[in-house]
Amino acid sequence: MMEERANLMHMMKLSIKVLLQSALSLGRSLDAEHAPLQQFFVVMEHCLKHGLKVKKSFIGQNKSFFGPLELVEKLCPEASDIATSVRNLPELKTAVGRGRAWLYLALMQKKLADYLKVLIDNKHLLSEFYEPEALMMEEEGMVIVGLLVGLNVLDANLCLKGEDLDSQVGVIDFSLYLKDVQDLDGGKEHERITDVLDQKNYVEELNRHLSCTVGDLQTKIDGLEKTNSKLQEELSAATDRICSLQEEQQQLKEQNELIRERSEKSVEITKQDTKVELDTYKQTRQGLDEMYSDVWKQLKEEKKVRLELEKELELQIGMKTEMEIAMKLLEKDTHEKQDTLVALRQQLEEVKAINLQMFHKAQNAESSLQQKNEAITSFEGKTNQVMSSMKQMEERLQHSEQARQGAEERSHKLQQELGGRISALQRQLSQLHEQCSSLEKELKSEKEHRQALQRELQHERDTSSLLRTELQQVEGLKKELRELQDEKAELQKICEEQEQALQEMGLHLSQSKLKMEDIKEVNQALKGHAWLKDDEATHCRQCEKEFSISRRKPSSGKEEATATPDAPPRVSGSALQ
């Protein structure tokens, strides 16, 4: 493989040399019938076929060099016109013919060297088509690309219509490269002239390439400077935003601390208030329990007296007139009791209205506390009046009991006649008992309602109002605590989000700083170029290797001090000799 590569490289040198000599003699305009041009395409075809992998299919084995040439369309958009025109030619039916037509068109465009250089720069794509030791995969490929640059001097006028490119036989004719010694001695001057012209054209091509690369580098430098300025502006904006966020965070922390202190103070105040209210509630509860025990004892005594009366009524046998008088007295007592009950109900309704007014007034500010205390005193006076009315009722009951005792003495005589009336009286008594029990229940309910209203007020003595006010205050405190906890959680979330935003901004800043450092390094690398003289440039500065056939220095006699070892070798003017 090494010998084949060397032979093909030498044949390519000879074919390009003969082609340039013949073109200079003919005026640098060639057509398809020119024999050195035909031999050049044959040698080029052999170079492209060297080390080409064989693709197997159902039809058979396929070995064509048009596959690698199709990659140029993807890598270089300028070559898309050549590929489309080659595919649209109806005369071409094989891949070999399409590859030959592609070479013809690339030579006519004077971009054959550029297209092949793009291919060789992307060797990872060529590895699908060529073996590792192929000519296109080694350094000889770069040498051939450098040799092809000299063909940009020629003007080729090739007509693809009517030519049978599919069936041409690619055989190298060595007779063109074998000449007499006399011809060689006689044409030395002519060769020198042609060499000078070729070197001049080659230098012009190199200058054109260098000017293009310089323009590209200047555009890149301008873009990098713009990005650098943008990054600096973003950095300044980011720093300003970070400062503002830090200030907002400090303000939020101060507000959080103030809210926390206020909530703690309010909780302490509410705890003290609840303790005071509990003490007052316990004291009022003790007094009410004592009152309730006294009333309960009186009720038990009344029940005992009523039982005794019932026993005595069973023994009553008296006169009809006396019983009628007793019944009238009893009816009068019941009417009086009903009147007293109506009066009590009216008084209770008034108490309810007063309590409702007091409840509405309790929701106002502390300025209405004195009026509430006066209303409470008036309410206590009314309750005392109710108690006095109850005592009067008890006295009337005692009078009625005395009257019943007198009637019992008289009723012994009329037991047989008035048995039915006694049962009626018993029924009425049971009704009276029921009415009394309902009255007791109403009184109890009114007392409970009164206690509920007094619980809602701070200075009332009843237990129910105190409990209700305490519950309401506790619930309000709980709600306030929940709201404060929610606000605290929201503030904590905001603080966490701000901390995350600061962390992300720090990461962005670190990344932007790294990018700035990379850009500065690239700028320094681009600015640190220097040129050496042709006599001093004997070795590469980075890889420290001597210049050879595969590693050549530029034809302008200057070598860049920071050239990389992987950069493609440039062909000097001596390559044409």
Side-chain angles (χ1 to χ4, degrees):
M1 295 291 283
M2 290 176 67
E3 291 178 357
E4 288 176 358
R5 289 199 302 269
N7 292 330
L8 286 171
M9 189 176 68
H10 291 304
M11 287 303 300
M12 181 58 73
K13 286 181 181 180
L14 289 172
S15 63
I16 291 170
K17 183 180 178 181
V18 171
L19 182 60
L20 289 171
Q21 289 176 358
S22 61
L24 289 170
S25 62
L26 295 174
R28 298 187 183 182
S29 59
L30 304 176
D31 54 2
E33 296 179 356
H34 192 57
L37 183 61
Q38 293 177 357
Q39 289 298 313
F40 165 74
F41 283 119
V42 172
V43 175
M44 192 70 209
E45 185 177 347
H46 281 285
C47 291
L48 292 171
K49 286 182 179 179
H50 184 262
L52 193 66
K53 291 181 180 179
V54 178
K55 292 185 179 180
K56 295 181 180 180
S57 62
F58 294 102
I59 301 169
Q61 294 182 353
N62 186 11
K63 188 175 181 181
S64 175
F65 60 92
F66 185 62
L69 297 177
E70 286 180 338
L71 294 174
V72 181
E73 183 180 1
K74 298 178 181 178
L75 298 172
C76 188
E78 297 175 358
S80 59
D81 296 335
I82 297 174
T84 52
S85 60
V86 166
R87 292 191 190 97
N88 294 327
L89 288 172
E91 295 89 358
L92 303 177
K93 297 180 181 180
T94 60
V96 177
R98 294 189 185 94
R100 290 168 179 169
W102 191 92
L103 291 174
Y104 282 13
L105 293 173
L107 184 64
M108 283 193 288
Q109 286 186 356
K110 297 184 180 181
K111 290 185 179 180
L112 182 60
D114 296 334
Y115 293 154
L116 293 179
K117 184 179 180 299
V118 171
L119 274 178
I120 292 169
D121 289 338
N122 296 284
K123 290 183 180 179
H124 60 282
L125 298 174
L126 289 175
S127 60
E128 297 179 2
F129 299 96
Y130 289 101
E131 298 291 339
E133 296 180 355
L135 187 140
M136 296 294 289
M137 299 295 288
E138 295 293 335
E139 293 182 355
E140 285 81 355
M142 291 301 298
V143 175
I144 290 172
V145 169
L147 295 171
L148 291 173
V149 175
L151 297 178
N152 293 333
V153 183
L154 303 179
D155 295 327
N157 297 319
L158 305 176
C159 183
L160 299 178
K161 293 182 179 179
E163 290 192 4
D164 190 6
L165 298 175
D166 294 329
S167 61
Q168 287 182 2
V169 179
V171 180
I172 299 172
D173 187 8
F174 292 99
S175 62
L176 293 172
Y177 311 114
L178 298 175
K179 294 183 178 180
D180 296 332
V181 179
Q182 293 178 358
D183 295 332
L184 292 172
D185 293 331
K188 285 182 180 180
E189 294 179 358
H190 186 68
E191 287 177 359
R192 288 175 184 176
I193 294 167
T194 54
D195 290 337
V196 169
L197 291 172
D198 292 334
Q199 287 178 359
K200 182 182 178 183
N201 293 321
Y202 179 71
V203 168
E204 289 177 355
E205 288 291 328
L206 286 176
N207 286 326
R208 184 173 62 82
H209 285 292
L210 288 171
S211 62
C212 293
T213 53
V214 168
D216 294 333
L217 289 172
Q218 286 179 354
T219 53
K220 288 180 180 178
I221 288 166
D222 294 332
L224 289 171
E225 288 178 353
K226 289 179 182 178
T227 53
N228 191 1
S229 62
K230 288 180 181 178
L231 288 171
Q232 287 178 356
E233 291 176 357
E234 290 177 357
L235 273 172
S236 61
T239 51
D240 295 334
R241 190 176 178 184
I242 287 165
C243 294
S244 62
L245 289 172
Q246 288 177 355
E247 291 176 356
E248 289 178 359
Q249 188 179 5
Q250 289 178 358
Q251 291 177 0
L252 289 171
K253 284 181 180 178
E254 292 175 357
Q255 291 177 1
N256 192 3
E257 289 177 357
L258 291 171
I259 291 164
R260 190 175 179 181
E261 291 175 357
R262 289 177 183 173
S263 63
E264 289 177 355
K265 288 179 182 178
S266 62
V267 168
E268 289 178 357
I269 292 164
T270 51
K271 284 181 179 178
Q272 292 176 0
D273 294 333
T274 51
K275 285 180 182 178
V276 174
E277 289 173 357
L278 285 170
D279 294 332
T280 54
Y281 168 69
K282 288 178 181 178
Q283 292 176 1
T284 53
R285 183 66 182 272
Q286 289 177 359
L288 289 169
D289 289 334
E290 292 175 356
M291 290 172 66
Y292 182 74
S293 62
D294 294 333
V295 173
W296 186 253
K297 288 178 182 179
Q298 290 177 2
L299 285 171
K300 285 182 178 179
E301 291 175 357
E302 288 177 358
K303 285 181 180 178
K304 288 179 181 179
V305 171
R306 285 173 185 173
L307 289 170
E308 291 175 356
L309 286 171
E310 287 177 357
K311 290 178 182 179
E312 291 176 356
L313 283 170
E314 290 178 357
L315 300 173
Q316 282 181 2
I317 299 166
M319 294 176 74
K320 292 181 181 179
T321 57
E322 293 176 354
M323 287 299 294
E324 288 174 0
I325 292 165
M327 287 296 293
K328 287 178 181 179
L329 292 170
L330 287 170
E331 286 176 0
K332 287 179 181 179
D333 292 332
T334 53
H335 286 300
E336 289 176 355
K337 287 179 181 179
Q338 287 178 357
D339 293 333
T340 53
L341 286 170
V342 171
L344 286 169
R345 284 178 182 175
Q346 290 178 356
Q347 290 177 357
L348 287 170
E349 288 178 354
E350 290 176 356
V351 170
K352 287 180 181 179
I354 291 164
N355 287 326
L356 289 170
Q357 289 177 1
M358 292 294 291
F359 179 73
H360 289 298
K361 289 178 181 179
Q363 295 178 353
N364 296 324
E366 293 180 356
S367 62
S368 63
L369 288 173
Q370 294 178 359
Q371 295 177 1
K372 289 180 182 178
N373 290 323
E374 292 176 359
I376 288 164
T377 54
S378 64
F379 182 73
E380 288 177 354
K382 288 182 181 180
T383 53
N384 291 323
Q385 290 177 3
V386 171
M387 294 296 290
S388 64
S389 63
M390 289 292 291
K391 288 179 181 179
Q392 290 177 3
M393 288 291 290
E394 289 176 356
E395 290 176 357
R396 289 178 183 177
L397 285 170
Q398 288 178 2
H399 288 299
S400 65
E401 287 174 359
Q402 290 176 2
R404 284 176 186 175
Q405 287 178 2
E408 284 176 359
E409 293 176 356
R410 296 174 184 177
S411 65
H412 287 291
K413 298 177 182 181
L414 298 173
Q415 289 179 354
Q416 295 178 355
E417 293 178 359
L418 300 173
R421 291 182 180 179
I422 290 166
S423 62
L425 289 170
Q426 287 178 354
R427 289 175 184 174
Q428 289 178 357
L429 286 170
S430 63
Q431 289 177 0
L432 288 170
H433 285 300
E434 290 175 356
Q435 288 177 359
C436 289
S437 62
S438 64
L439 286 170
E440 289 174 356
K441 288 179 180 178
E442 287 179 357
L443 287 170
K444 287 180 181 179
S445 64
E446 290 297 329
K447 285 179 181 180
E448 290 175 356
H449 186 66
R450 179 186 172 188
Q451 289 174 359
L453 292 172
Q454 287 175 353
R455 285 174 188 173
E456 293 175 356
L457 297 171
Q458 292 182 356
H459 300 285
E460 290 179 356
R461 296 178 182 177
D462 294 333
T463 59
S464 64
S465 63
L466 290 171
L467 290 171
R468 286 183 181 179
T469 52
E470 288 172 0
L471 289 170
Q472 287 178 358
Q473 289 178 358
V474 170
E475 287 176 355
L477 290 170
K478 286 181 180 178
K479 287 180 181 178
E480 288 178 357
L481 285 170
R482 287 175 184 172
E483 290 176 354
L484 289 170
Q485 288 176 357
D486 293 332
E487 289 178 357
K488 186 178 178 181
E490 290 177 356
L491 290 170
Q492 286 178 355
K493 286 180 181 178
I494 291 166
C495 290
E496 289 176 356
E497 289 176 355
Q498 288 178 355
E499 288 176 355
Q500 288 180 359
L502 287 171
Q503 290 177 0
E504 290 176 356
M505 288 296 293
L507 290 172
H508 287 299
L509 285 171
S510 62
Q511 290 177 1
S512 63
K513 285 181 180 177
L514 291 172
K515 288 180 180 178
M516 287 293 292
E517 290 177 357
D518 293 333
I519 290 164
K520 286 179 180 178
E521 290 177 358
V522 171
N523 287 325
Q524 289 178 0
L526 290 171
K527 289 178 180 177
H529 292 287
W531 294 93
L532 296 176
K533 294 181 180 180
D534 196 4
D535 298 333
E536 295 176 358
T538 58
H539 295 76
C540 183
R541 288 294 183 86
Q542 288 188 353
C543 62
E544 295 182 356
K545 293 181 180 179
E546 293 182 357
F547 292 112
S548 60
I549 296 170
S550 62
R551 188 181 300 279
R552 292 172 179 266
K553 55 189 175 181
S555 63
S556 61
K558 295 181 181 179
E559 188 260 335
E560 193 174 358
T562 58
T564 58
D566 295 330
R570 300 178 180 179
V571 181
S572 65
S574 61
L576 300 173
Q577 295 178 357

